[in-house]
Amino acid sequence: MARYDRAITVFSPDGHLFQVEYALEAVRKGNAAVGVRGTDTVVLGVEKKSAAKLQDSRSVRKIVNLDNHIALACAGLKADARVLINRARIECQSHRLTVEDPVTVEYITRYIAGLQQKYTQSGGVRPFGLSTLIIGFDPYTGVPSLYQTDPSGTFSAWKANATGRNSNSIREFLEKNYKETHGQETIKLAIRALLEVVESGGKNIEVAVMTKDQGLRQLEEAEIDAIVAEIEAEKAAAEAAKKGPARDA
Amino acid sequence: MECVFGLVGNDYAIVVADTSAVHSILVHKSNEDKIMVLDSHKLVAASGEPGDRVQFTEYIQKNVALYQFRNGIPLTTAAAANFTRGELATALRKNPYQVNVLMAGYDKEIGPSLYYIDYIATLHKVDRGAFGYGSYFCLAMMDRHYHSGMTVEEAIDLVDKCILEIRSRLVVAPPNFVIKIVDKDGAREYAWRESVKPDAA
């Protein structure tokens, strides 16, 4: 097996591309990221590792704009992310220049995934070590979308998904609790999902909300804290309701 | 025969352009908007070879947008003007763009500004500027009547004086003009001055 994982362009006898799978490992070690699609809102949430005291946290933005109507969050190698994000931003403007239309979410996802795939089939390069969650609104129909790409270059659309650390637990939670939501409910669902694996508190999560009319809005720490408090209160009330009637009987 | 001119007030900048698209002796249309909104607080009034004009200004516009996404803040007017000049200069000795540009912008800390950029990549920051045959008349009018700290109404009055001069003294004067303004509230269309009703398109 050791002989088949050195170069990316070599298949192993049982059909594996080990470098791609190792890249997926790198993603699994990255910080948790979650995306939830509502009827009129799409939300991205990312785990923030505790900031070093001397670091200016404003310079570490994990959820970025690709265009006015498209945003991206990722899990994995952040330096690789910078390269992909830069290429995607250029492609968004290039598309506007050549066809006088903003990109659709699917187009830019396909572009990013295509880029990730190219690096699994070239000599002397390694794959990008990140999976992305891409959200946005169709520029003409206004329909919201959420897409995910991974180091192998596959992509697909999701109602809600997670990637990075403990993404399986988050996905399980979302599968159990997902329902069509809009506005504040969508934000709450995304934060509740992230809180399954992240220590609660506004300083440990970064949340951004995209709506058709207002584009991407990063939530302030205070806002996140308020929603987290709401969620905790709801959880406590649900716990109390469970215990209460049993006691009386 | 294209006329483009502009001036700066105390907290706004105005640019005016004629709106005829001409090929030899034929007027294709008389409602061609030659002033592009580059971003929320910048205007680019361009004159010259029609294909180059659209190609070049759209290229600048998309690069300015890209800068904003990459860096999280918009370019200042001075930076955008210098970038534009740089692109003209780079293309000059290979494949020149035959486009003259007046770039007007408003920056929060700096206020309004106007940049004169001609097709061989001259760059000047000016109070008032003009391109084309109309410039002979506009510059004279503006030199006579312009003073710093004009109100918007006074400036529009001066613009109308310039348009009157062009219409009465230039042999093939364009019939219609568009006026756009940029101030702290952004870049927007201010008015049209039409002496020939354009095609109902």
Side-chain angles (χ1 to χ4, degrees):
Chain A
M1 199 157 79
R3 272 178 292 157
Y4 299 104
D5 62 6
R6 181 80 27 96
I8 182 62
T9 49
V10 179
F11 272 111
S12 73
D14 55 347
H16 291 246
L17 279 173
F18 281 115
Q19 281 300 303
V20 176
E21 294 183 11
Y22 297 163
L24 280 153
E25 262 310 303
V27 170
R28 258 172 247 131
K29 297 216 165 24
N31 50 239
V34 73
V36 179
R37 185 189 82 194
T39 53
D40 63 354
T41 310
V42 211
V43 182
L44 282 173
V46 177
E47 169 192 11
K48 251 198 311 204
K49 303 243 172 70
S50 51
K53 276 208 194 114
L54 296 172
Q55 189 183 60
D56 185 350
S57 52
R58 286 169 308 168
S59 66
V60 195
R61 276 258 160 267
K62 296 196 174 171
I63 304 174
V64 296
N65 253 326
L66 296 183
D67 202 341
N68 293 321
H69 60 303
I70 314 255
L72 174 150
C74 59
L77 269 49
K78 289 293 182 277
D80 286 3
R82 259 201 336 263
V83 174
L84 269 182
I85 289 167
N86 195 33
R87 298 284 295 272
R89 281 171 170 161
I90 293 174
E91 180 61 19
C92 285
Q93 295 307 314
S94 177
H95 187 273
R96 278 177 185 263
L97 188 59
T98 49
V99 305
E100 281 209 11
D101 260 346
V103 297
T104 57
V105 192
E106 199 246 343
Y107 177 93
I108 198 65
T109 305
R110 202 166 352 112
Y111 176 81
I112 292 175
L115 216 43
Q116 286 181 291
Q117 191 281 338
K118 241 193 273 263
Y119 282 68
T120 69
Q121 211 177 5
S122 286
V125 298
R126 62 163 178 80
F128 289 96
L130 68 141
S131 292
T132 68
L133 285 170
I134 300 168
I135 60 170
F137 284 81
D138 185 292
Y140 291 103
T141 64
V143 171
S145 308
L146 166 67
Y147 281 84
Q148 190 208 36
T149 73
D150 65 26
S152 65
T154 52
F155 72 94
S156 51
W158 292 76
K159 295 180 189 164
N161 200 1
T163 178
R165 262 179 355 119
N166 303 324
S167 57
N168 287 325
S169 330
I170 306 182
R171 207 171 305 118
E172 247 177 68
F173 174 86
L174 285 168
E175 281 176 11
K176 255 191 280 188
N177 294 284
Y178 178 84
K179 54 187 198 311
E180 291 278 320
T181 53
H182 62 266
Q184 193 72 351
E185 284 304 310
T186 318
I187 305 175
K188 257 209 227 160
L189 180 55
I191 296 182
R192 268 167 62 210
L194 204 45
L195 288 177
E196 290 288 301
V197 302
V198 177
E199 215 185 293
S200 77
K203 57 179 168 44
N204 298 316
I205 40 183
E206 192 177 309
V207 180
V209 183
M210 180 167 272
T211 47
K212 182 162 153 34
D213 301 318
Q214 289 167 354
L216 189 72
R217 187 170 69 89
Q218 308 265 6
L219 296 190
E220 307 263 324
E221 213 179 284
E223 249 184 292
I224 302 177
D225 277 328
I227 301 177
V228 168
E230 245 182 83
I231 293 172
E232 313 260 278
E234 280 172 13
K235 260 201 241 178
E239 287 289 316
K242 256 194 276 176
K243 291 197 187 129
R247 278 254 179 87
D248 292 345
Chain B
M1 303 302 166
E2 289 188 320
C3 305
V4 171
F5 61 98
L7 57 116
V8 177
N10 49 0
D11 54 4
Y12 62 87
I14 286 175
V15 280
V16 185
D18 76 286
T19 59
S20 359
V22 169
H23 184 85
S24 167
I25 57 167
L26 175 69
V27 177
H28 278 301
K29 62 192 290 211
S30 40
N31 57 356
E32 169 83 358
D33 188 351
K34 298 177 191 170
I35 306 182
M36 164 182 278
V37 174
L38 197 67
D39 72 13
S40 63
H41 287 72
K42 292 185 193 44
L43 289 169
V44 169
S47 70
E49 188 67 40
D52 280 353
R53 172 169 55 79
V54 172
Q55 179 81 339
F56 182 68
T57 54
E58 284 187 355
Y59 171 72
I60 298 295
Q61 185 190 52
K62 299 311 187 248
N63 272 282
V64 167
L66 182 61
Y67 178 96
Q68 180 158 354
F69 282 110
R70 277 188 175 146
N71 298 283
I73 54 168
L75 276 169
T76 57
T77 311
N82 276 281
F83 170 69
T84 305
R85 188 212 83 85
E87 291 298 308
L88 285 168
T90 307
L92 183 61
R93 291 177 203 278
K94 284 198 183 130
N95 208 354
Y97 291 105
Q98 288 172 46
V99 186
N100 298 308
V101 162
L102 269 180
M103 185 179 290
Y106 185 93
D107 304 298
K108 228 166 76 164
E109 313 289 304
I110 301 168
S113 48
L114 182 66
Y115 288 86
Y116 171 105
I117 309 169
D118 79 8
Y119 73 106
I120 38 178
T122 310
L123 173 68
H124 290 305
K125 182 173 185 302
V126 293
D127 278 343
R128 51 202 186 277
F131 283 111
Y133 285 117
S135 67
Y136 293 113
F137 308 106
C138 299
L139 285 171
M141 282 317 269
M142 291 196 283
D143 284 348
R144 171 70 183 80
H145 293 289
Y146 178 89
H147 56 88
S148 61
M150 291 172 82
T151 63
V152 178
E153 291 71 33
E154 289 176 320
I156 295 297
D157 204 53
L158 176 49
V159 162
D160 283 326
K161 284 197 173 73
C162 293
I163 292 176
L164 186 58
E165 278 303 297
I166 293 171
R167 282 190 177 144
S168 56
R169 289 297 188 180
L170 185 55
V171 62
V172 203
N176 301 336
F177 292 81
V178 65
I179 305 172
K180 295 201 181 177
I181 188 171
V182 60
D183 60 18
K184 66 174 176 17
D185 299 322
R188 58 194 180 279
E189 197 175 280
Y190 182 89
W192 285 68
R193 297 286 188 253
E194 289 165 340
S195 59
V196 168
K197 275 278 170 259
D199 357 273

